[in-house]
């Protein structure tokens, strides 16, 4: 954990102020997958692009999609529009996104498969992504922070090993239990390339980064420490070596009380939590020394109405303002009514008003 009391000047960006241990001018809010299919203007550009990957690799369209949610809602951050699976693609894995089937990759399951990955030049192939960053950066309002991201090595490895989404990530978990040399090599290669990928995003203009470990829930304690936390820590340190001032947010989904271990083992500046984490525990155990991000249930944002009002108030009343970034506990769902997102932002702003 970085030194929390590194009080510098307020930046005017609520997101960065919270991440740097400064009091923000309001409680920052952004939403995982805030650009996406729930927005009609996204669906329109996505159709014009032809495919999700074409959209990701078009700096003009991807920058527009990144900015779309900010045109509608009074959010405090933009997140780069891209995907965690672009890195394995740059490493040489075939990647396709089939409609309603999720991603498909050519599987990596032995030393030969790992040896075939082309680390040399991989991060350079993602130049269109850095061009997107630069375009967004030039257009962002002054109070809005800009977040880049990568997948955590464990989560990216699960997709590479399984060849896409799978219900139980069985082959990846078996490789972790076996401690196969090819598996260790794969994680190592992902650590190194993820650092370079994030540093290139930072050089192009992102101001904070988030590491997504969606499938951290899969591993027991000792393996989670080795294959989730250690790689996240190494990436965070690599980022800090490159740019000391860029904060890192760790999001390891589904790990409950092990969030405490995550913040102890990793040099991250904030921890994203899912909605099953009890708020009082998060306030007492995590916020004592860390910034917490989350943790509204994305389904509650679909439900709207009183359920939304109640859940958001519980969060704003329990989690201290100076150390909280309002967000969901996982990505926004495609069936979310955009009006509910506007309502969510309003409720958070009202809570700010009540505080003053
Ligand atoms: O948050 C954002 O708005 C930034 C963009 C972003 C996307 N994916 C766009 C996307 C980010 C940060 C991601 C991360 C990501 N991608 C993760 C980690 C976070 C998580 O959600 O758990 C994972 C596991 C992936 C891999 C991935 N990408 C899957 C499994 C899928 C298919 C499932 C789905 O939602 O369709 C994607 C596709 C994807 N990534 C879409 C978007 C907007 C939908 C593509 C479409 O328009 O059809």
């Amino acid at each position: 954990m970085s030194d929390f009391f590194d009080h510098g000047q307020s930046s005017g960006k609520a997101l960065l102020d919270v991440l740097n241990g400064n009091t923000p001018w309001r409680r920052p809010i952004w939403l995982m997958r805030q650009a996406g299919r729930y927005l009609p203007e996204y669906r329109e550009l996505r159709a014009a692009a032809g495919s999700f990957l074409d959209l990701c690799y078009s700096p003009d369209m991807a920058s527009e999609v990144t900015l779309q949610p900010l045109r509608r809602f009074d959010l405090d951050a933009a997140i780069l529009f891209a995907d965690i699976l672009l890195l394995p693609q740059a490493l040489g894995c075939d990647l396709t996104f089939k409609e309603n089937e999720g991603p498909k990759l050519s599987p990596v399951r032995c030393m030969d498969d790992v040896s075939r990955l082309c680390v040399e030049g991989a991060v350079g192939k993602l130049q269109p992504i850095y061009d997107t960053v630069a375009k967004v950066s030039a257009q962002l309002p002054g109070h809005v922070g800009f977040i880049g991201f990568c997948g955590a090595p464990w989560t990216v490895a699960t997709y590479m090993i399984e060849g896409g989404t799978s219900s139980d990530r069985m082959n990846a978990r078996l490789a972790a239990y076996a401690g196969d040399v090819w598996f260790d090599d794969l994680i190592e290669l992902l650590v190194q390339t993820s650092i370079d990928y994030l540093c290139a995003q930072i050089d192009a203009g992102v101001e904070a980064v988030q590491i997504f470990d969606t499938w951290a829930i899969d591993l027991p304690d000792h393996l989670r420490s080795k294959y989730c936390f250690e790689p996240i820590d190494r990436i965070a340190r690599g980022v800090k070596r490159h740019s000391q001032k860029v904060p890192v947010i760790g999001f390891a989904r589904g790990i409950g009380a092990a969030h405490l271990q995550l913040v102890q083992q990793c040099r991250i500046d904030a921890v994203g939590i899912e909605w099953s984490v009890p708020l009082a525990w998060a306030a007492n155990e995590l916020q004592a020394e860390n910034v917490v991000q989350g943790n509204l249930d994305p389904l509650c944002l679909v439900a709207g109405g009183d359920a939304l009002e109640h859940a958001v108030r519980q969060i704003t009343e329990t989690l201290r303002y100076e150390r909280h970034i309002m967000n969901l506990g996982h990505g926004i769902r495609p069936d979310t009514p955009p009006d509910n997102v506007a309502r969510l932002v309003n409720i958070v702003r009202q809570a700010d008003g009540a505080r003053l």
Side-chain angles (χ1 to χ4, degrees):
M1 197 67 205
S2 61
D3 178 7
F4 197 87
F5 295 100
D6 175 24
H7 293 281
Q9 290 290 309
S10 165
S11 67
K13 299 192 186 221
L15 175 88
L16 298 181
D17 283 344
V18 168
L19 287 169
N20 289 319
N22 296 321
T23 302
W25 66 283
R26 63 183 184 182
R27 188 185 298 251
I29 171 169
W30 71 277
L31 304 172
M32 289 188 275
R33 288 273 178 100
Q34 65 190 26
R37 285 164 295 186
Y38 76 107
L39 290 177
E41 59 271 33
Y42 170 84
R43 294 196 296 269
E44 203 174 299
L45 262 189
R46 164 86 164 67
S51 77
F52 171 63
L53 285 175
D54 287 331
L55 185 54
C56 290
Y57 288 117
S58 155
D60 281 339
M61 286 194 273
S63 56
E64 175 55 27
V65 166
T66 304
L67 293 165
Q68 281 176 345
L70 293 149
R71 301 219 166 89
R72 271 190 189 245
F73 313 117
D74 183 17
L75 298 164
D76 295 284
I79 180 160
L80 165 67
F81 187 81
D83 197 85
I84 64 166
L85 301 179
L86 302 187
L87 184 60
Q89 187 183 32
L91 287 164
C93 295
D94 289 333
L95 172 67
T96 52
F97 279 88
K98 295 221 173 73
E99 215 60 55
N100 304 321
E101 273 182 48
K104 296 264 185 279
L105 293 102
S106 44
V108 173
R109 291 204 184 146
C110 62
M111 193 51 103
D112 273 357
D113 294 341
V114 175
S115 315
R116 269 195 296 273
L117 298 172
C118 345
V119 176
E120 200 66 44
V123 168
K125 288 187 198 153
L126 295 167
Q127 186 59 44
I129 309 308
Y130 318 133
D131 294 343
T132 301
V133 171
K135 277 183 186 288
V136 172
S137 205
Q139 296 177 67
L140 273 188
H143 67 285
V144 175
F146 191 10
I147 303 169
F149 70 91
C150 70
W154 164 251
T155 287
V156 174
T158 66
Y159 286 95
M160 293 173 81
I161 294 167
E162 305 296 339
T165 306
S166 85
S167 58
D168 55 9
R169 280 80 56 205
M170 188 183 71
N171 294 296
R173 286 158 64 204
L174 283 173
Y177 278 113
D180 289 327
V181 177
W182 67 264
F183 176 73
D184 281 10
D185 286 359
L186 176 61
I187 295 287
E188 175 64 30
L189 173 164
L190 288 170
V191 167
Q192 296 304 335
T193 48
S194 299
I195 293 171
D196 293 346
Y197 182 38
L198 290 180
C199 291
Q201 293 179 30
I202 291 165
D203 290 344
V206 304
E207 301 167 304
V209 296
Q210 177 156 322
I211 304 171
F212 286 89
D213 213 350
T214 305
W215 297 118
I217 189 174
D218 281 344
L219 295 174
D221 250 8
H222 69 292
L223 291 179
R224 192 188 301 119
S225 175
K226 182 172 178 192
Y227 291 123
C228 297
F229 297 163
E230 194 187 307
I232 290 174
D233 183 48
R234 288 178 58 207
I235 295 172
R237 284 173 192 276
V239 165
K240 303 272 179 196
R241 260 195 312 277
H242 181 78
S243 316
Q244 215 184 331
K245 287 205 155 58
V246 172
V248 179
I249 306 168
F251 175 67
R253 192 169 67 111
I255 63 171
H259 283 296
L260 210 45
Q261 200 190 334
L262 170 74
V263 295
Q264 283 159 359
Q265 196 178 326
C266 303
R267 204 183 176 300
I268 56 176
D269 302 274
V271 54
I273 56 170
E274 63 279 6
W275 59 98
S276 56
V277 175
L279 286 172
W281 181 85
N284 293 329
E285 303 295 327
L286 291 175
Q287 274 199 314
E289 291 194 52
N290 305 284
V291 171
V292 168
Q293 176 174 282
N295 71 344
L296 186 72
D297 180 354
L299 196 62
C300 187
L301 196 56
V302 176
D306 289 349
L308 177 63
E309 184 110 10
H310 180 76
V312 177
R313 289 208 190 287
Q314 291 265 294
I315 294 172
T316 57
E317 281 164 17
T318 316
L319 296 180
R320 293 179 43 190
Y321 162 93
E322 295 88 350
R323 291 185 180 176
H324 182 225
I325 299 164
M326 186 71 193
N327 206 317
L328 303 174
H330 196 205
I332 221 169
R333 295 167 48 108
D335 50 348
T336 304
D339 283 353
N340 287 357
V341 176
R343 180 82 196 109
L344 163 63
V345 176
N346 272 336
I347 302 167
V348 173
R349 299 300 176 226
Q350 276 165 18
D352 268 354
R355 200 186 61 91
L356 298 171

